[in-house]
Amino acid sequence: NAGVTQTPKFRVLKTGQSMTLLCAQDMNHEYMYWYRQDPGMGLRLIHYSVGEGTTAKGEVPDGYNVSRLKKQNFLLGLESAAPSQTSVYFCASSRFRGWEPQHFGDGTRLSIL
Amino acid sequence: TQLLEQSPQFLSIQEGENLTVYCNSSSVFSSLQWYRQEPGEGPVLLVTVVTGGEVKKLKRLTFQFGDARKDSSLHITAAQPGDTGLYLCAGAEDNNNDMRFGAGTRLTVKP
């Protein structure tokens, strides 16, 4: 069972470069989320989507953009990477919001030099 | 300031010991979840509690939701090295559906 798959697993960027992180889920979930995880900060929500073609801002959206063109895919873009965006990024999906459990991918470790 | 404060931040114990970790907030939650995260992997759900005072058991793990739905605890009996990991609590506030995560308790169980 694939569940939630994130690509790439690791990436090193230079300041100012752009990149896209891909998340794919095979559980037919409506809701998808992008989080970043930093030491001592826990998981913080960047953006989320409540269905195909929709996106919404989370707690820390600045510097990121997202798209949900297909139900199974949720893309996270960094247009001009900054060192403050060095983090581990997790994608998750769920059937509903709130109490419904979220299923996470294994993360993308991104370093910005 | 974290919406959900977890304590302790780090915990290192010997195999066979018991332990309790805490998740506290000043907010009321409609539900609270506990996840475990191992190195290089994403969090995996352990349990969801929704009723104030609720107690759920998962083998050697006991989860309790506070009566006022503002806090929760996780108790592990006779810890094993396989329990090593980062334990995260996450809550959905009463007034919205956003799930907010604590920073976690990093548990190490030494053989």
Side-chain angles (χ1 to χ4, degrees), chain A residues 17-60:
Chain A
Q17 288 186 319
S18 63
M19 80 161 294
T20 301
L21 280 64
L22 173 63
C23 176
Q25 54 99 0
D26 62 2
M27 295 171 283
N28 201 35
H29 286 167
E30 289 294 334
Y31 295 83
M32 296 188 74
Y33 314 84
W34 275 107
Y35 293 91
R36 60 178 290 173
Q37 187 175 36
D38 302 291
M41 299 292 290
L43 286 158
R44 292 183 291 168
L45 183 64
I46 304 172
H47 286 280
Y48 64 96
S49 169
V50 301
E52 181 178 321
T54 73
T55 63
K57 294 180 179 180
E59 184 184 356
V60 289

Side-chain angles (χ1 to χ4, degrees), chain A residues 35 37 39-45 48 59 90 97-107 109, chain B residues 2 9 31 33 35 37 40-45 48 50 86 88 92 97-103:
Chain A
Y35 293 91
Q37 187 175 36
M41 299 292 290
L43 286 158
R44 292 183 291 168
L45 183 64
Y48 64 96
E59 184 184 356
F90 286 96
R97 291 186 69 195
W99 57 267
E100 182 73 8
Q102 296 186 20
H103 300 261
F104 286 83
D106 286 338
R109 187 174 295 275
Chain B
Q2 293 278 131
Q9 189 175 358
S31 67
Q33 298 175 341
Y35 291 79
Q37 183 179 15
E41 299 182 5
V44 176
L45 181 72
T48 300
V50 297
L86 179 66
L88 297 162
N97 281 326
D98 288 342
M99 186 66 70
R100 302 291 292 270
F101 284 80

Side-chain angles (χ1 to χ4, degrees), chain A residues 70-82:
Chain A
K70 293 183 178 181
K71 186 176 183 178
Q72 64 267 34
N73 295 335
F74 196 27
L75 278 64
L76 177 70
L78 285 73
E79 290 186 348
S80 180

